Amino acid sequence: MRRRRVLIAAGPWSSFGFLAQRVWEGDRVNFEVVTDTGSADAVRELAGELRDVSSEFATTTAAVPGELLVGLRCLPEALGRRTFSRFDRADGTLTIDLTVSQERFAGQTVAWQREELGRLLEERFGHVLATTSAPWSPAQREAVRHAARTMLLSAGWLDGARSRARALLEQGQPIDQVAEAAGLESAEVEDIYVAMLTEHG
């Protein structure tokens, strides 16, 4: 049985498939990212980072049939849009629709937004793969989970620059050296350091 890959242009949309152009492809879990976001955040640009590494995801899940569609929305809280997931048996598509707060993301650095999206997506993957009705065996679910984590790591969405900076600060390294090693601005490293001090009282 052949499955379909979903290709969707970045931009506002109200439901999956609205801007979709579908093409036939082999029987494996394909991966695509779509975005619905404004100009106050970097979510749309960051979605491109996942697209850049998605081929690796498709390759490592070659034995798992179906599609995985990830939607990244950064919207005003007043809209009341919530994160959800669903599995469509008709076309074998597992959808993860992740919504984050525009108020929370606006003004944050790209590195912060990247790692926050990574944290939230990894959590969502774990929940979805444990509860989805997709007809995947435990081994296939673990393959998808592992491929998703590998993809997020490869894109720097997990254990990224801010995580590296935090680890170096915990070792007692100076802020300017940490900034250079992690590839961050000194001001962002200072913010991380202040947050660490606050956490530890």
Side-chain angles (χ1 to χ4, degrees), residues 71-195:
L72 301 176
R73 303 179 190 261
C74 189
L75 300 172
E77 293 177 1
L79 293 180
R81 184 78 187 190
R82 294 182 180 275
T83 293
F84 73 90
S85 57
R86 68 168 178 255
F87 179 71
D88 187 341
R89 289 185 176 276
D91 60 8
T93 299
L94 174 62
T95 297
I96 296 177
D97 185 329
L98 179 68
T99 299
V100 296
S101 164
Q102 190 175 75
E103 289 83 353
R104 184 164 178 255
F105 270 58
Q108 298 287 357
T109 66
V110 173
W112 184 94
Q113 294 183 52
R114 179 184 292 115
E115 293 186 32
E116 182 64 5
L117 286 171
R119 181 185 70 80
L120 293 171
L121 264 182
E122 183 177 42
E123 288 179 357
R124 195 67 189 177
F125 269 114
H127 171 75
V128 168
L129 290 171
T131 60
T132 182
S133 61
W136 297 338
S137 69
Q140 288 174 323
R141 290 169 190 252
E142 176 58 24
V144 173
R145 187 203 65 77
H146 178 73
R149 178 170 176 77
T150 300
M151 177 180 61
L152 293 171
L153 285 167
S154 179
W157 285 35
L158 295 176
D159 297 338
R162 287 177 60 91
S163 295
R164 292 194 299 273
R166 187 183 182 93
L168 293 172
L169 288 170
E170 289 174 344
Q171 296 171 13
Q173 295 195 26
I175 287 176
D176 57 342
Q177 292 181 20
V178 171
E180 183 176 357
L184 297 172
E185 296 291 332
S186 293
E188 185 163 8
V189 177
E190 289 175 359
D191 289 343
I192 295 171
Y193 182 64
V194 170

Side-chain angles (χ1 to χ4, degrees), residues 5-11 13 16-17 19-20 30-37 42-55 57 67-73 93-98 117 121 125 148 151-152 155 157:
R5 183 182 183 185
V6 183
L7 304 173
I8 303 185
W13 39 274
F16 289 110
L19 298 176
N30 293 298
F31 180 88
E32 185 57 44
V33 183
V34 296
T35 59
D36 182 12
T37 180
V43 173
R44 183 177 299 182
E45 290 73 17
L46 288 170
E49 297 180 355
L50 283 191
R51 292 190 188 98
D52 290 343
V53 297
S54 64
S55 60
F57 178 92
E67 299 172 338
L68 173 63
L69 179 60
V70 173
L72 301 176
R73 303 179 190 261
T93 299
L94 174 62
T95 297
I96 296 177
D97 185 329
L98 179 68
L117 286 171
L121 264 182
F125 269 114
M151 177 180 61
L152 293 171
W157 285 35

Side-chain angles (χ1 to χ4, degrees), residues 8-27:
I8 303 185
W13 39 274
S14 58
S15 62
F16 289 110
F18 181 66
L19 298 176
Q21 173 190 0
R22 295 173 179 262
V23 295
W24 289 105
E25 195 169 276
D27 187 15

